[in-house]
Amino acid sequence: MDGIVLLKEDHKAVERLFKEFEKTHEKATPEAKRQLVDKILDALVTHAFIEETIFYPAARADVPDAKEHVLESVEEHHVVAWLLSEVRTLDPADETFDAKVTVLIENVRHHVEEEEKEW
């Protein structure tokens, strides 16, 4: 499979999880919320690893004009990783849990949009 196709498929899979969270988080039990958010976090960590170890180095090597995009993307990953670390250890019953997950989702959507439209 083409690497870019694989990344786009990952984007779609994560987006489905985001929509499921948005649709169910208000009525979900803390346990169900934790399971869904853990799926989101695992998918994002795997995806970021692939981008940072394979895709971004290849883009920098093969597309000289991509340097600034790559640097910005790495910084966006840093912000997402920070949010991931907070959400991973936060109790789903905490009043800030849904807000943090929502901010995480917004950041990832922004990142995906830039990758797919500007790259």
Side-chain angles (χ1 to χ4, degrees), residues 13 17 24 26 31 40 42 46 60 63 69 77 79 81 89 93 95 109 118:
L17 292 170
T24 64
E26 291 178 357
E31 295 80 18
I40 291 170
D42 290 345
T46 300
R60 280 192 78 165
V63 184
H69 286 296
H77 279 204
V79 171
T89 59
E95 69 177 356
R109 282 181 173 150
E118 294 179 17

Side-chain angles (χ1 to χ4, degrees), residues 9-118:
E9 289 300 317
D10 275 0
H11 290 166
K12 290 176 188 173
V14 170
E15 181 60 29
R16 284 191 294 274
L17 292 170
F18 289 168
K19 287 181 179 177
E20 184 178 345
F21 176 82
E22 291 168 335
K23 189 167 76 172
T24 64
H25 74 91
E26 291 178 357
K27 58 187 175 227
T29 65
E31 295 80 18
K33 201 181 291 191
R34 173 88 272 155
Q35 285 182 331
L36 177 57
V37 170
D38 284 348
K39 285 182 190 177
I40 291 170
L41 301 182
D42 290 345
L44 290 174
V45 167
T46 300
H47 184 79
F49 178 79
I50 292 167
E51 285 186 337
E52 291 178 14
T53 60
I54 299 169
F55 185 70
Y56 294 163
R60 280 192 78 165
D62 295 339
V63 184
D65 292 343
K67 180 182 176 187
E68 290 302 316
H69 286 296
V70 170
L71 293 173
E72 183 179 335
S73 291
V74 169
E75 291 306 315
E76 288 172 349
H77 279 204
H78 176 74
V79 171
V80 168
W82 175 63
L83 286 165
L84 287 170
S85 69
E86 286 192 353
V87 171
R88 180 138 351 246
T89 59
L90 189 61
D91 183 340
D94 187 286
E95 69 177 356
T96 64
F97 187 83
D98 289 357
K100 285 186 186 290
V101 174
T102 299
V103 170
L104 172 69
I105 289 169
E106 290 169 352
N107 273 271
V108 171
R109 282 181 173 150
H110 167 79
H111 175 75
V112 166
E113 182 178 348
E114 282 188 342
E115 275 187 352
E116 291 190 359
K117 291 188 176 160
E118 294 179 17

